[in-house]
Amino acid sequence: MSSKEHLSPIEKLNEALNSGELRQVRYTLNNSLRPAEIAHLLDKSPPKERQLLWSLVNKELEGEVLQYLSYDVQADIVSRMDAGELLEVTEGLDTDDLVDLLQQLPERVMRELLQTMDIQNRARVEQVLSYDEDTAGGLMNTDTVTIRPDITVETALRYIRRHKEIPEMTDSLFVVSRRDAFIGVLPLTKLLVSDPDMLVREIMNTDIAPIAATMTDTEVTQLFEQHGLISAPVVDEDGKLLGRITIDDVVDVIREDADHSLMGMAGLGEDADTFAPVLKTTRSRAFWLGINLITAFVASAVIGLFEATIDKVVALAVLMPIVASMGGIAGSQTLTLVIRGQALGHLDRSNAAWLLNRELIAGTINGLLWAAVVAGVAIIWFQDLQIGGIIAAAIVINLLAGALAGTLLPIGLKAAGIDPALAGSVLLTTITDVVGFFAFLGLATYFYG
Amino acid sequence: MSSKEHLSPIEKLNEALNSGELRQVRYTLNNSLRPAEIAHLLDKSPPKERQLLWSLVNKELEGEVLQYLSYDVQADIVSRMDAGELLEVTEGLDTDDLVDLLQQLPERVMRELLQTMDIQNRARVEQVLSYDEDTAGGLMNTDTVTIRPDITVETALRYIRRHKEIPEMTDSLFVVSRRDAFIGVLPLTKLLVSDPDMLVREIMNTDIAPIAATMTDTEVTQLFEQHGLISAPVVDEDGKLLGRITIDDVVDVIREDADHSLMGMAGLGEDADTFAPVLKTTRSRAFWLGINLITAFVASAVIGLFEATIDKVVALAVLMPIVASMGGIAGSQTLTLVIRGQALGHLDRSNAAWLLNRELIAGTINGLLWAAVVAGVAIIWFQDLQIGGIIAAAIVINLLAGALAGTLLPIGLKAAGIDPALAGSVLLTTITDVVGFFAFLGLATYFYG
């Protein structure tokens, strides 16, 4: 189809990999691809190819490639290295990326690695390590460029020119006191357009409060989005400048948070490696299947209560999954909307009642609508008016149960400190299955029994 | 509990809103909150409060607030305005934000609004409008700062100082020819540390290709993440600089893409307003429930085929939801993983076979494991060895069906140009329900019939 000249570097690589020309692969890998592209290639490779490719990456690229890998893949590769290799690979990494790596190591290996660092570097890393991964402190980097408030713009420009280069993602200098207390932010764009004789103090920005090291990473993302930030200072409880957070770290958090909702609702970890080996996959899935099996047995037990009725009217067995399914679908829609609303910070006590009310009304209207349709079909199918009325009533009841559970479950779980994205969908299905079967078969037992 | 002094501006606002002190609300809204915070407050308010709050926002803030609103809420508010109001509100907006708003208007109102703009502004807007919303061209802004390659660093710095201010999110100047052809990028940080006598041409960056206006927004996000960009130039097919994309727009795309998978799988729009009015909610949910009802009827029809068998062995009715449920859960896990993999660009022809194989093996192992458990319970419960064997076989078959459908459905749908996040979960459930009921009841009919 396509001639060889038109292949992208990745396609060429695949071809070389398939034909076993490892020298060709090594060359393309290390000379035509950026570290982020190599990482992407590793992320999308099955285990064997991944190991092979990794072994072909040049030593001096390894550190950079590692920091772009997805979490699970990174953890897997790092876990195969000894402290010596790790030290070599992590040399020259930014503090925040280095800390991300260290957190994946066993305590012993981490300590070993810390011992080998020079004192200044180690102090920096240990400071970041002292904060939780999910806080501003755990997210920050220590590569700030600072200046004093009492120098002129001209002096500031001269001071900056003395740098050989300025760290990536630097859009502002941080103004600090002699004791490193944070005072303000000086955007480079402001510095560039200001009168050279002005003082830094006169042109710096003080209207954005610095980020406390203990702020959660989700709050940090909201702050960045609301203020349109590229980088922001992080301070300790005394206002001392500790480091800075940059937008690339914020983007990672946004991706992780979004993945967490999507993957969590299917019982998968947000860091799940798409190409995890078969045993790892099997083990992680088994747990979720087991949990769901319990809920399936609960539903079966409810059906079991009404065996006699089903024995009498076998049409009930044919129709009962419809009741459970409609309640489950309606409930899942509400649940997903509420979980997303929670993630966006939309839900609090002031509007939860309104939301529940809206869901109940929408559930009632849709319940009546689809109950009528199902009743019509059931009556025609089984030539039985009564069964139509029974299934209609059960569907309305179950859609209301779905609306109620879909709204209150995530709110209750969150208040109890349980992650709604993880536990919500199992619990919801249990409720709509139980209510659905109970309402339908219970009513049937009353009328046919 | 908390004394009034410790309330945040938002809490104060809620209190004032509840007590009906509208003057107080208006004051807090316009003087204590940033436009992004006002937008967040509107996003999380039920319809009536939302309209009331919006009516209290000062005219000159409206435009800024609008651009921070979530899509559905923005569309709702904009749809109530006439061209005159819109013109007032949109004055001073960036081209990209203005275009976002325009795209939500009826054609007639949009044309009317374009007529009222000055020629230069209109030309800019029409250029961005000419590109699809989901492309680099539709995403870009036209507020670039450009310089020529043959001036010195010193001249460049003097030229920049003549600006009163530089547009937000400007981390680089774009180097262009006399005819506006894109030549390279000059990061401000580079400009600040370079020798004043060097030429722009000598220090500019040419290793990152400019973005073609037709590139999809998802590709743009990958480019930004792989190269750690804050802003990037957009060019037309002749290499002429059209504008630039900034990281804040990229973050919006990342959020939208992630929301699309999560919300799509529950049949909700990614832009769904958490506090949409009841009728809008009811209507949008009704469609999804209707689609799912069809699949539920298909499952019922399968059960209906085996009415005679169920009539004979009523235990089958009790156990059959377990088979369907286990297959559905296992299939959903695979489906979610594959859909996320597709969104991350992990899946292609080279690794799909490996993935399918892994899912089938994991499905078989988990199938055997849980089949044994379910068989054990069923045998004890119903004192019937045969029913244990039948349900075990059906579970293994259905978990394999789940693995197969979970992998192949999203791949096939995507190849057919259908969005897997939207259609995947309904189709998957239909398959696992049909296979589950058919395998279980079919085997039962064979052995008991």
Side-chain angles (χ1 to χ4, degrees), chain B residues 319-320 322-323 371 374-375 378 386-396 440:
Chain B
L319 293 173
M320 67 184 188
I322 294 177
V323 180
V374 175
Q386 204 166 355
I387 210 166
I390 292 170
I391 199 167
I395 282 179
V396 174
F440 182 54

Side-chain angles (χ1 to χ4, degrees), chain A residues 44 225 255 272 340 348, chain B residues 44 225 255 272 340 348:
Chain A
K44 58 177 279 192
E225 288 191 81
R255 273 212 187 278
R340 204 223 11 182
D348 52 37
Chain B
K44 59 178 277 194
E225 287 191 82
R255 273 211 187 278
R340 207 233 356 197
D348 52 37

